[in-house]
Amino acid sequence: MYKAFKLSYDSLENDSIRECLLCCALWPEDYEINTFDQLIPCWIGCSIIHEFNVINEAFAKGCSHLESLMAASLLEECIPKGRPLHWYGPCVKMNDVIRDMALLMVSGLEGNKRKWIVKAGIGLSDLPRQEEWQEAERASFMMNKITSLPEYEANFTSSKLSMLILCQNEGLKIIPSSLFASIPRLTYLDLNRCRIRELSMEICSLNELQYLDLSSNLITSLPAEFGCLSKLEYLFLKNNKIMTVPYGTISNLSMLKWLDATTEWWWDELKCFKGRHQLSVRIYIKATTDNIEQLNMLPNVSVWELHLDGKNISELPNYDLGTPQWGCRVSDNLESLNIRSIRLDRLVLATGMDGESSFGCLKKLNFFALEILEEISLNRVLTLQPS
């Protein structure tokens, strides 16, 4: 069986696609992996996909790799169980046998130089002993029942560990500061959907960190030292309770390429951002005219996904999306527009007719709780009129 898998694996077009396949084994057995929210961001964070100007290009390359893996029957597309496809998005699964073969390749056995520790979704309440993963390059402990991490001794160092995944351990509230000191080579840290309330200033000791996912926690503030993560390229902060951040916390991240945030503080930080790359953002903002126009004023920022929330707003902007307020900084690379709780009866979407907004990349237009919406038109042509 291993030889048959190895033959299919070796027949893939290039090393990047082969590495993409191995990454799928980081998830639990028989797990439906969301391609846009989980899998492709993982490939980007691992630097498998790294040469791009805006995040749209990275996702296009990721979709191409997915097609190659599915064409080789090494991944299968699936419909998420009990979750509407239109809001959860497409998923893929890895056959259990293929996953076992992939894990064998990265287990340190069979003369392989690499070593991964994957104990995902198996009900762990504690991390394995330090000795078990001290020599690992990647470690995935996602979707377990871990509620606390031990304090690490000063002489414990995992000098090879570049990836640590602890996401969806929903009882994990505290990350001990000693952990950061023990993993100096870490480039990828996923703490999504835990119950973390704060980060210690020692996080700045992760000098090599490039990918950090803190989404869906209970974090209320970021330490000022956060801005010292000089190599950070991908930062996910959405669904936290952050209201303000110290000046320079985000704007000083000169290597940042992608920011995902539910924010009240976005304007002050992003208007001062002077990164080396154009920053792609997935951003959640109040649906006011000022907020939309401010997005157009941000230098070196490209909006990739925009969520507008009109709840508790009395003065609403003009939702003719061809007007100047929807200028090129907002519209040119926008792939997903989500509009929620806005009292409007007509929405006009214009694609480049006036030279201001193009929406040429728009793939998803989602509406939530628009109780009085009666019609939508595209380039002034009526496309939807409920009876």
Side-chain angles (χ1 to χ4, degrees), residues 168-203:
Q168 299 186 53
N169 283 281
E170 298 186 3
L172 184 59
K173 298 179 181 180
I174 298 174
I175 304 298
S177 57
S178 59
L179 173 66
F180 299 131
S182 70
I183 46 178
R185 300 290 183 89
L186 201 71
T187 63
Y188 185 114
L189 178 59
D190 188 348
L191 298 171
N192 177 23
R193 283 183 61 184
C194 298
R195 303 288 289 176
I196 299 166
R197 295 183 179 275
E198 63 178 347
L199 291 172
S200 71
M201 60 179 290
E202 281 76 13
I203 193 171

PDB file of all heavy atoms in Angstrom, residues 168-203:
ATOM      1  N   GLN A 168      -8.711  24.968  18.504  1.00  0.00           N
ATOM      2  CA  GLN A 168      -9.915  24.255  18.903  1.00  0.00           C
ATOM      3  C   GLN A 168      -9.706  23.349  20.119  1.00  0.00           C
ATOM      4  O   GLN A 168     -10.351  22.314  20.242  1.00  0.00           O
ATOM      5  CB  GLN A 168     -10.508  23.483  17.718  1.00  0.00           C
ATOM      6  CG  GLN A 168     -10.916  24.406  16.580  1.00  0.00           C
ATOM      7  CD  GLN A 168     -11.635  23.721  15.461  1.00  0.00           C
ATOM      8  OE1 GLN A 168     -12.618  23.019  15.685  1.00  0.00           O
ATOM      9  NE2 GLN A 168     -11.162  23.916  14.230  1.00  0.00           N
ATOM     10  N   ASN A 169      -8.816  23.751  21.002  1.00  0.00           N
ATOM     11  CA  ASN A 169      -8.794  23.223  22.361  1.00  0.00           C
ATOM     12  C   ASN A 169      -9.554  24.254  23.190  1.00  0.00           C
ATOM     13  O   ASN A 169      -8.965  25.180  23.751  1.00  0.00           O
ATOM     14  CB  ASN A 169      -7.356  23.043  22.856  1.00  0.00           C
ATOM     15  CG  ASN A 169      -6.703  21.806  22.272  1.00  0.00           C
ATOM     16  OD1 ASN A 169      -6.934  20.681  22.709  1.00  0.00           O
ATOM     17  ND2 ASN A 169      -5.879  22.013  21.245  1.00  0.00           N
ATOM     18  N   GLU A 170     -10.858  24.121  23.256  1.00  0.00           N
ATOM     19  CA  GLU A 170     -11.719  25.217  23.682  1.00  0.00           C
ATOM     20  C   GLU A 170     -11.707  25.467  25.186  1.00  0.00           C
ATOM     21  O   GLU A 170     -12.387  26.372  25.658  1.00  0.00           O
ATOM     22  CB  GLU A 170     -13.131  24.981  23.161  1.00  0.00           C
ATOM     23  CG  GLU A 170     -13.163  24.966  21.639  1.00  0.00           C
ATOM     24  CD  GLU A 170     -14.554  24.884  21.050  1.00  0.00           C
ATOM     25  OE1 GLU A 170     -15.525  24.901  21.826  1.00  0.00           O
ATOM     26  OE2 GLU A 170     -14.667  24.801  19.815  1.00  0.00           O
ATOM     27  N   GLY A 171     -10.944  24.689  25.949  1.00  0.00           N
ATOM     28  CA  GLY A 171     -10.793  24.973  27.363  1.00  0.00           C
ATOM     29  C   GLY A 171      -9.449  25.586  27.689  1.00  0.00           C
ATOM     30  O   GLY A 171      -9.135  25.840  28.861  1.00  0.00           O
ATOM     31  N   LEU A 172      -8.646  25.848  26.675  1.00  0.00           N
ATOM     32  CA  LEU A 172      -7.293  26.377  26.885  1.00  0.00           C
ATOM     33  C   LEU A 172      -7.358  27.892  27.062  1.00  0.00           C
ATOM     34  O   LEU A 172      -7.661  28.625  26.123  1.00  0.00           O
ATOM     35  CB  LEU A 172      -6.401  26.011  25.696  1.00  0.00           C
ATOM     36  CG  LEU A 172      -4.926  26.393  25.786  1.00  0.00           C
ATOM     37  CD1 LEU A 172      -4.271  25.754  26.992  1.00  0.00           C
ATOM     38  CD2 LEU A 172      -4.209  25.989  24.502  1.00  0.00           C
ATOM     39  N   LYS A 173      -7.080  28.378  28.276  1.00  0.00           N
ATOM     40  CA  LYS A 173      -7.263  29.792  28.583  1.00  0.00           C
ATOM     41  C   LYS A 173      -5.959  30.574  28.675  1.00  0.00           C
ATOM     42  O   LYS A 173      -5.944  31.784  28.462  1.00  0.00           O
ATOM     43  CB  LYS A 173      -8.025  29.938  29.910  1.00  0.00           C
ATOM     44  CG  LYS A 173      -9.423  29.340  29.893  1.00  0.00           C
ATOM     45  CD  LYS A 173     -10.101  29.492  31.245  1.00  0.00           C
ATOM     46  CE  LYS A 173     -11.496  28.867  31.222  1.00  0.00           C
ATOM     47  NZ  LYS A 173     -12.182  28.988  32.529  1.00  0.00           N
ATOM     48  N   ILE A 174      -4.882  29.892  29.024  1.00  0.00           N
ATOM     49  CA  ILE A 174      -3.622  30.594  29.277  1.00  0.00           C
ATOM     50  C   ILE A 174      -2.491  29.913  28.514  1.00  0.00           C
ATOM     51  O   ILE A 174      -2.387  28.684  28.513  1.00  0.00           O
ATOM     52  CB  ILE A 174      -3.295  30.613  30.782  1.00  0.00           C
ATOM     53  CG1 ILE A 174      -4.378  31.375  31.564  1.00  0.00           C
ATOM     54  CG2 ILE A 174      -1.931  31.256  31.030  1.00  0.00           C
ATOM     55  CD1 ILE A 174      -4.192  31.309  33.069  1.00  0.00           C
ATOM     56  N   ILE A 175      -1.661  30.712  27.860  1.00  0.00           N
ATOM     57  CA  ILE A 175      -0.434  30.211  27.242  1.00  0.00           C
ATOM     58  C   ILE A 175       0.726  30.681  28.117  1.00  0.00           C
ATOM     59  O   ILE A 175       0.998  31.879  28.210  1.00  0.00           O
ATOM     60  CB  ILE A 175      -0.249  30.759  25.811  1.00  0.00           C
ATOM     61  CG1 ILE A 175      -1.470  30.436  24.947  1.00  0.00           C
ATOM     62  CG2 ILE A 175       1.015  30.175  25.183  1.00  0.00           C
ATOM     63  CD1 ILE A 175      -1.741  28.965  24.759  1.00  0.00           C
ATOM     64  N   PRO A 176       1.406  29.759  28.800  1.00  0.00           N
ATOM     65  CA  PRO A 176       2.497  30.186  29.695  1.00  0.00           C
ATOM     66  C   PRO A 176       3.616  30.861  28.918  1.00  0.00           C
ATOM     67  O   PRO A 176       3.969  30.444  27.810  1.00  0.00           O
ATOM     68  CB  PRO A 176       2.957  28.877  30.335  1.00  0.00           C
ATOM     69  CG  PRO A 176       2.514  27.801  29.405  1.00  0.00           C
ATOM     70  CD  PRO A 176       1.248  28.299  28.773  1.00  0.00           C
ATOM     71  N   SER A 177       4.159  31.904  29.512  1.00  0.00           N
ATOM     72  CA  SER A 177       5.218  32.659  28.830  1.00  0.00           C
ATOM     73  C   SER A 177       6.445  31.794  28.566  1.00  0.00           C
ATOM     74  O   SER A 177       7.178  32.020  27.597  1.00  0.00           O
ATOM     75  CB  SER A 177       5.611  33.880  29.671  1.00  0.00           C
ATOM     76  OG  SER A 177       6.027  33.489  30.963  1.00  0.00           O
ATOM     77  N   SER A 178       6.650  30.765  29.385  1.00  0.00           N
ATOM     78  CA  SER A 178       7.821  29.905  29.202  1.00  0.00           C
ATOM     79  C   SER A 178       7.745  29.099  27.907  1.00  0.00           C
ATOM     80  O   SER A 178       8.770  28.660  27.388  1.00  0.00           O
ATOM     81  CB  SER A 178       7.977  28.955  30.391  1.00  0.00           C
ATOM     82  OG  SER A 178       6.821  28.139  30.551  1.00  0.00           O
ATOM     83  N   LEU A 179       6.528  28.906  27.381  1.00  0.00           N
ATOM     84  CA  LEU A 179       6.399  28.177  26.117  1.00  0.00           C
ATOM     85  C   LEU A 179       7.094  28.934  24.995  1.00  0.00           C
ATOM     86  O   LEU A 179       7.807  28.344  24.186  1.00  0.00           O
ATOM     87  CB  LEU A 179       4.924  27.965  25.762  1.00  0.00           C
ATOM     88  CG  LEU A 179       4.663  27.359  24.382  1.00  0.00           C
ATOM     89  CD1 LEU A 179       5.196  25.927  24.301  1.00  0.00           C
ATOM     90  CD2 LEU A 179       3.179  27.389  24.033  1.00  0.00           C
ATOM     91  N   PHE A 180       6.886  30.245  24.931  1.00  0.00           N
ATOM     92  CA  PHE A 180       7.475  31.036  23.853  1.00  0.00           C
ATOM     93  C   PHE A 180       8.994  30.952  23.866  1.00  0.00           C
ATOM     94  O   PHE A 180       9.635  30.849  22.814  1.00  0.00           O
ATOM     95  CB  PHE A 180       7.016  32.491  23.958  1.00  0.00           C
ATOM     96  CG  PHE A 180       5.531  32.675  23.853  1.00  0.00           C
ATOM     97  CD1 PHE A 180       4.847  33.438  24.777  1.00  0.00           C
ATOM     98  CD2 PHE A 180       4.808  32.063  22.841  1.00  0.00           C
ATOM     99  CE1 PHE A 180       3.469  33.609  24.682  1.00  0.00           C
ATOM    100  CE2 PHE A 180       3.432  32.230  22.739  1.00  0.00           C
ATOM    101  CZ  PHE A 180       2.761  33.011  23.661  1.00  0.00           C
ATOM    102  N   ALA A 181       9.580  30.967  25.043  1.00  0.00           N
ATOM    103  CA  ALA A 181      11.042  30.901  25.146  1.00  0.00           C
ATOM    104  C   ALA A 181      11.584  29.544  24.721  1.00  0.00           C
ATOM    105  O   ALA A 181      12.739  29.445  24.288  1.00  0.00           O
ATOM    106  CB  ALA A 181      11.479  31.211  26.578  1.00  0.00           C
ATOM    107  N   SER A 182      10.751  28.517  24.794  1.00  0.00           N
ATOM    108  CA  SER A 182      11.220  27.160  24.502  1.00  0.00           C
ATOM    109  C   SER A 182      11.135  26.797  23.020  1.00  0.00           C
ATOM    110  O   SER A 182      11.604  25.733  22.620  1.00  0.00           O
ATOM    111  CB  SER A 182      10.419  26.147  25.326  1.00  0.00           C
ATOM    112  OG  SER A 182       9.082  26.056  24.855  1.00  0.00           O
ATOM    113  N   ILE A 183      10.510  27.653  22.201  1.00  0.00           N
ATOM    114  CA  ILE A 183      10.336  27.331  20.779  1.00  0.00           C
ATOM    115  C   ILE A 183      10.848  28.492  19.914  1.00  0.00           C
ATOM    116  O   ILE A 183      10.093  29.116  19.173  1.00  0.00           O
ATOM    117  CB  ILE A 183       8.865  26.997  20.448  1.00  0.00           C
ATOM    118  CG1 ILE A 183       7.902  28.032  21.081  1.00  0.00           C
ATOM    119  CG2 ILE A 183       8.513  25.604  20.933  1.00  0.00           C
ATOM    120  CD1 ILE A 183       6.438  27.779  20.756  1.00  0.00           C
ATOM    121  N   PRO A 184      12.134  28.782  19.961  1.00  0.00           N
ATOM    122  CA  PRO A 184      12.681  29.988  19.318  1.00  0.00           C
ATOM    123  C   PRO A 184      12.618  29.975  17.796  1.00  0.00           C
ATOM    124  O   PRO A 184      12.675  31.035  17.173  1.00  0.00           O
ATOM    125  CB  PRO A 184      14.130  30.014  19.803  1.00  0.00           C
ATOM    126  CG  PRO A 184      14.461  28.577  20.107  1.00  0.00           C
ATOM    127  CD  PRO A 184      13.194  28.006  20.650  1.00  0.00           C
ATOM    128  N   ARG A 185      12.498  28.785  17.166  1.00  0.00           N
ATOM    129  CA  ARG A 185      12.500  28.707  15.696  1.00  0.00           C
ATOM    130  C   ARG A 185      11.083  28.683  15.116  1.00  0.00           C
ATOM    131  O   ARG A 185      10.923  28.484  13.915  1.00  0.00           O
ATOM    132  CB  ARG A 185      13.240  27.437  15.249  1.00  0.00           C
ATOM    133  CG  ARG A 185      14.696  27.369  15.693  1.00  0.00           C
ATOM    134  CD  ARG A 185      15.550  28.380  14.959  1.00  0.00           C
ATOM    135  NE  ARG A 185      16.949  28.277  15.319  1.00  0.00           N
ATOM    136  CZ  ARG A 185      17.820  27.492  14.713  1.00  0.00           C
ATOM    137  NH1 ARG A 185      17.426  26.710  13.727  1.00  0.00           N
ATOM    138  NH2 ARG A 185      19.078  27.471  15.104  1.00  0.00           N
ATOM    139  N   LEU A 186      10.081  28.882  15.956  1.00  0.00           N
ATOM    140  CA  LEU A 186       8.703  28.751  15.496  1.00  0.00           C
ATOM    141  C   LEU A 186       8.373  29.803  14.434  1.00  0.00           C
ATOM    142  O   LEU A 186       8.637  30.989  14.616  1.00  0.00           O
ATOM    143  CB  LEU A 186       7.732  28.899  16.671  1.00  0.00           C
ATOM    144  CG  LEU A 186       6.338  28.299  16.460  1.00  0.00           C
ATOM    145  CD1 LEU A 186       6.414  26.777  16.459  1.00  0.00           C
ATOM    146  CD2 LEU A 186       5.369  28.771  17.535  1.00  0.00           C
ATOM    147  N   THR A 187       7.788  29.344  13.317  1.00  0.00           N
ATOM    148  CA  THR A 187       7.329  30.263  12.271  1.00  0.00           C
ATOM    149  C   THR A 187       5.811  30.277  12.144  1.00  0.00           C
ATOM    150  O   THR A 187       5.249  31.206  11.564  1.00  0.00           O
ATOM    151  CB  THR A 187       7.924  29.881  10.905  1.00  0.00           C
ATOM    152  OG1 THR A 187       7.471  28.569  10.524  1.00  0.00           O
ATOM    153  CG2 THR A 187       9.449  29.888  10.953  1.00  0.00           C
ATOM    154  N   TYR A 188       5.139  29.260  12.699  1.00  0.00           N
ATOM    155  CA  TYR A 188       3.688  29.088  12.484  1.00  0.00           C
ATOM    156  C   TYR A 188       3.044  28.701  13.810  1.00  0.00           C
ATOM    157  O   TYR A 188       3.394  27.679  14.400  1.00  0.00           O
ATOM    158  CB  TYR A 188       3.482  27.982  11.445  1.00  0.00           C
ATOM    159  CG  TYR A 188       2.060  27.712  10.988  1.00  0.00           C
ATOM    160  CD1 TYR A 188       1.682  27.969   9.675  1.00  0.00           C
ATOM    161  CD2 TYR A 188       1.099  27.149  11.839  1.00  0.00           C
ATOM    162  CE1 TYR A 188       0.396  27.690   9.222  1.00  0.00           C
ATOM    163  CE2 TYR A 188      -0.184  26.879  11.395  1.00  0.00           C
ATOM    164  CZ  TYR A 188      -0.525  27.155  10.087  1.00  0.00           C
ATOM    165  OH  TYR A 188      -1.801  26.871   9.638  1.00  0.00           O
ATOM    166  N   LEU A 189       2.112  29.526  14.307  1.00  0.00           N
ATOM    167  CA  LEU A 189       1.429  29.253  15.569  1.00  0.00           C
ATOM    168  C   LEU A 189      -0.070  29.459  15.386  1.00  0.00           C
ATOM    169  O   LEU A 189      -0.516  30.556  15.036  1.00  0.00           O
ATOM    170  CB  LEU A 189       1.959  30.180  16.671  1.00  0.00           C
ATOM    171  CG  LEU A 189       1.310  30.053  18.055  1.00  0.00           C
ATOM    172  CD1 LEU A 189       1.464  28.643  18.610  1.00  0.00           C
ATOM    173  CD2 LEU A 189       1.897  31.083  19.020  1.00  0.00           C
ATOM    174  N   ASP A 190      -0.837  28.398  15.629  1.00  0.00           N
ATOM    175  CA  ASP A 190      -2.295  28.452  15.472  1.00  0.00           C
ATOM    176  C   ASP A 190      -2.950  28.220  16.826  1.00  0.00           C
ATOM    177  O   ASP A 190      -2.899  27.123  17.379  1.00  0.00           O
ATOM    178  CB  ASP A 190      -2.751  27.391  14.460  1.00  0.00           C
ATOM    179  CG  ASP A 190      -4.232  27.525  14.104  1.00  0.00           C
ATOM    180  OD1 ASP A 190      -4.950  28.271  14.801  1.00  0.00           O
ATOM    181  OD2 ASP A 190      -4.663  26.878  13.134  1.00  0.00           O
ATOM    182  N   LEU A 191      -3.589  29.292  17.345  1.00  0.00           N
ATOM    183  CA  LEU A 191      -4.308  29.230  18.620  1.00  0.00           C
ATOM    184  C   LEU A 191      -5.781  29.583  18.421  1.00  0.00           C
ATOM    185  O   LEU A 191      -6.449  30.055  19.346  1.00  0.00           O
ATOM    186  CB  LEU A 191      -3.668  30.197  19.629  1.00  0.00           C
ATOM    187  CG  LEU A 191      -2.213  29.907  19.998  1.00  0.00           C
ATOM    188  CD1 LEU A 191      -1.645  31.050  20.827  1.00  0.00           C
ATOM    189  CD2 LEU A 191      -2.091  28.596  20.740  1.00  0.00           C
ATOM    190  N   ASN A 192      -6.285  29.359  17.233  1.00  0.00           N
ATOM    191  CA  ASN A 192      -7.664  29.670  16.890  1.00  0.00           C
ATOM    192  C   ASN A 192      -8.646  28.859  17.751  1.00  0.00           C
ATOM    193  O   ASN A 192      -8.452  27.675  18.008  1.00  0.00           O
ATOM    194  CB  ASN A 192      -7.858  29.360  15.392  1.00  0.00           C
ATOM    195  CG  ASN A 192      -9.276  29.579  14.919  1.00  0.00           C
ATOM    196  OD1 ASN A 192     -10.051  30.327  15.516  1.00  0.00           O
ATOM    197  ND2 ASN A 192      -9.633  28.898  13.845  1.00  0.00           N
ATOM    198  N   ARG A 193      -9.714  29.532  18.205  1.00  0.00           N
ATOM    199  CA  ARG A 193     -10.820  28.884  18.925  1.00  0.00           C
ATOM    200  C   ARG A 193     -10.363  28.153  20.180  1.00  0.00           C
ATOM    201  O   ARG A 193     -10.720  27.012  20.422  1.00  0.00           O
ATOM    202  CB  ARG A 193     -11.595  27.940  18.009  1.00  0.00           C
ATOM    203  CG  ARG A 193     -12.548  28.655  17.059  1.00  0.00           C
ATOM    204  CD  ARG A 193     -13.350  27.685  16.235  1.00  0.00           C
ATOM    205  NE  ARG A 193     -14.171  26.820  17.067  1.00  0.00           N
ATOM    206  CZ  ARG A 193     -14.915  25.818  16.595  1.00  0.00           C
ATOM    207  NH1 ARG A 193     -14.895  25.564  15.293  1.00  0.00           N
ATOM    208  NH2 ARG A 193     -15.636  25.081  17.398  1.00  0.00           N
ATOM    209  N   CYS A 194      -9.563  28.833  20.965  1.00  0.00           N
ATOM    210  CA  CYS A 194      -9.316  28.399  22.338  1.00  0.00           C
ATOM    211  C   CYS A 194     -10.122  29.357  23.224  1.00  0.00           C
ATOM    212  O   CYS A 194     -11.135  29.891  22.774  1.00  0.00           O
ATOM    213  CB  CYS A 194      -7.821  28.427  22.640  1.00  0.00           C
ATOM    214  SG  CYS A 194      -6.847  27.282  21.594  1.00  0.00           S
ATOM    215  N   ARG A 195      -9.698  29.585  24.436  1.00  0.00           N
ATOM    216  CA  ARG A 195     -10.397  30.540  25.305  1.00  0.00           C
ATOM    217  C   ARG A 195      -9.393  31.523  25.911  1.00  0.00           C
ATOM    218  O   ARG A 195      -9.533  31.977  27.033  1.00  0.00           O
ATOM    219  CB  ARG A 195     -11.135  29.798  26.419  1.00  0.00           C
ATOM    220  CG  ARG A 195     -12.129  28.767  25.951  1.00  0.00           C
ATOM    221  CD  ARG A 195     -13.365  29.378  25.338  1.00  0.00           C
ATOM    222  NE  ARG A 195     -14.205  30.031  26.347  1.00  0.00           N
ATOM    223  CZ  ARG A 195     -15.302  30.714  26.059  1.00  0.00           C
ATOM    224  NH1 ARG A 195     -15.662  30.871  24.793  1.00  0.00           N
ATOM    225  NH2 ARG A 195     -16.021  31.268  27.023  1.00  0.00           N
ATOM    226  N   ILE A 196      -8.392  31.856  25.125  1.00  0.00           N
ATOM    227  CA  ILE A 196      -7.297  32.682  25.607  1.00  0.00           C
ATOM    228  C   ILE A 196      -7.780  34.119  25.857  1.00  0.00           C
ATOM    229  O   ILE A 196      -8.468  34.711  25.023  1.00  0.00           O
ATOM    230  CB  ILE A 196      -6.144  32.676  24.593  1.00  0.00           C
ATOM    231  CG1 ILE A 196      -5.623  31.241  24.417  1.00  0.00           C
ATOM    232  CG2 ILE A 196      -5.028  33.601  25.017  1.00  0.00           C
ATOM    233  CD1 ILE A 196      -4.739  31.065  23.228  1.00  0.00           C
ATOM    234  N   ARG A 197      -7.408  34.658  27.018  1.00  0.00           N
ATOM    235  CA  ARG A 197      -7.832  36.004  27.394  1.00  0.00           C
ATOM    236  C   ARG A 197      -6.743  37.048  27.192  1.00  0.00           C
ATOM    237  O   ARG A 197      -7.043  38.219  26.964  1.00  0.00           O
ATOM    238  CB  ARG A 197      -8.303  36.021  28.850  1.00  0.00           C
ATOM    239  CG  ARG A 197      -9.553  35.178  29.081  1.00  0.00           C
ATOM    240  CD  ARG A 197     -10.038  35.265  30.515  1.00  0.00           C
ATOM    241  NE  ARG A 197     -11.259  34.467  30.694  1.00  0.00           N
ATOM    242  CZ  ARG A 197     -12.488  34.904  30.444  1.00  0.00           C
ATOM    243  NH1 ARG A 197     -12.647  36.150  30.010  1.00  0.00           N
ATOM    244  NH2 ARG A 197     -13.531  34.139  30.625  1.00  0.00           N
ATOM    245  N   GLU A 198      -5.492  36.648  27.285  1.00  0.00           N
ATOM    246  CA  GLU A 198      -4.413  37.608  27.081  1.00  0.00           C
ATOM    247  C   GLU A 198      -3.136  36.900  26.649  1.00  0.00           C
ATOM    248  O   GLU A 198      -2.966  35.705  26.876  1.00  0.00           O
ATOM    249  CB  GLU A 198      -4.155  38.421  28.352  1.00  0.00           C
ATOM    250  CG  GLU A 198      -3.683  37.608  29.531  1.00  0.00           C
ATOM    251  CD  GLU A 198      -3.395  38.481  30.735  1.00  0.00           C
ATOM    252  OE1 GLU A 198      -3.325  39.712  30.581  1.00  0.00           O
ATOM    253  OE2 GLU A 198      -3.244  37.933  31.833  1.00  0.00           O
ATOM    254  N   LEU A 199      -2.272  37.670  26.006  1.00  0.00           N
ATOM    255  CA  LEU A 199      -0.967  37.180  25.596  1.00  0.00           C
ATOM    256  C   LEU A 199       0.103  37.854  26.446  1.00  0.00           C
ATOM    257  O   LEU A 199       0.018  39.051  26.731  1.00  0.00           O
ATOM    258  CB  LEU A 199      -0.710  37.498  24.123  1.00  0.00           C
ATOM    259  CG  LEU A 199      -1.545  36.759  23.081  1.00  0.00           C
ATOM    260  CD1 LEU A 199      -1.270  37.353  21.703  1.00  0.00           C
ATOM    261  CD2 LEU A 199      -1.237  35.287  23.087  1.00  0.00           C
ATOM    262  N   SER A 200       1.097  37.102  26.822  1.00  0.00           N
ATOM    263  CA  SER A 200       2.181  37.699  27.597  1.00  0.00           C
ATOM    264  C   SER A 200       3.139  38.425  26.669  1.00  0.00           C
ATOM    265  O   SER A 200       3.218  38.138  25.465  1.00  0.00           O
ATOM    266  CB  SER A 200       2.926  36.615  28.380  1.00  0.00           C
ATOM    267  OG  SER A 200       3.681  35.798  27.499  1.00  0.00           O
ATOM    268  N   MET A 201       3.880  39.359  27.220  1.00  0.00           N
ATOM    269  CA  MET A 201       4.833  40.132  26.430  1.00  0.00           C
ATOM    270  C   MET A 201       5.940  39.253  25.861  1.00  0.00           C
ATOM    271  O   MET A 201       6.601  39.630  24.891  1.00  0.00           O
ATOM    272  CB  MET A 201       5.442  41.241  27.284  1.00  0.00           C
ATOM    273  CG  MET A 201       6.195  40.751  28.504  1.00  0.00           C
ATOM    274  SD  MET A 201       6.920  42.085  29.486  1.00  0.00           S
ATOM    275  CE  MET A 201       8.207  42.633  28.377  1.00  0.00           C
ATOM    276  N   GLU A 202       6.119  38.042  26.432  1.00  0.00           N
ATOM    277  CA  GLU A 202       7.175  37.147  25.958  1.00  0.00           C
ATOM    278  C   GLU A 202       6.933  36.629  24.552  1.00  0.00           C
ATOM    279  O   GLU A 202       7.815  36.014  23.958  1.00  0.00           O
ATOM    280  CB  GLU A 202       7.343  35.977  26.925  1.00  0.00           C
ATOM    281  CG  GLU A 202       8.134  36.284  28.182  1.00  0.00           C
ATOM    282  CD  GLU A 202       7.333  37.091  29.195  1.00  0.00           C
ATOM    283  OE1 GLU A 202       6.097  37.194  29.024  1.00  0.00           O
ATOM    284  OE2 GLU A 202       7.932  37.608  30.148  1.00  0.00           O
ATOM    285  N   ILE A 203       5.734  36.896  24.010  1.00  0.00           N
ATOM    286  CA  ILE A 203       5.488  36.463  22.630  1.00  0.00           C
ATOM    287  C   ILE A 203       6.484  37.124  21.680  1.00  0.00           C
ATOM    288  O   ILE A 203       6.793  36.586  20.605  1.00  0.00           O
ATOM    289  CB  ILE A 203       4.035  36.763  22.197  1.00  0.00           C
ATOM    290  CG1 ILE A 203       3.722  36.025  20.888  1.00  0.00           C
ATOM    291  CG2 ILE A 203       3.784  38.257  22.074  1.00  0.00           C
ATOM    292  CD1 ILE A 203       2.273  36.070  20.479  1.00  0.00           C
TER     293      ILE A 203
END
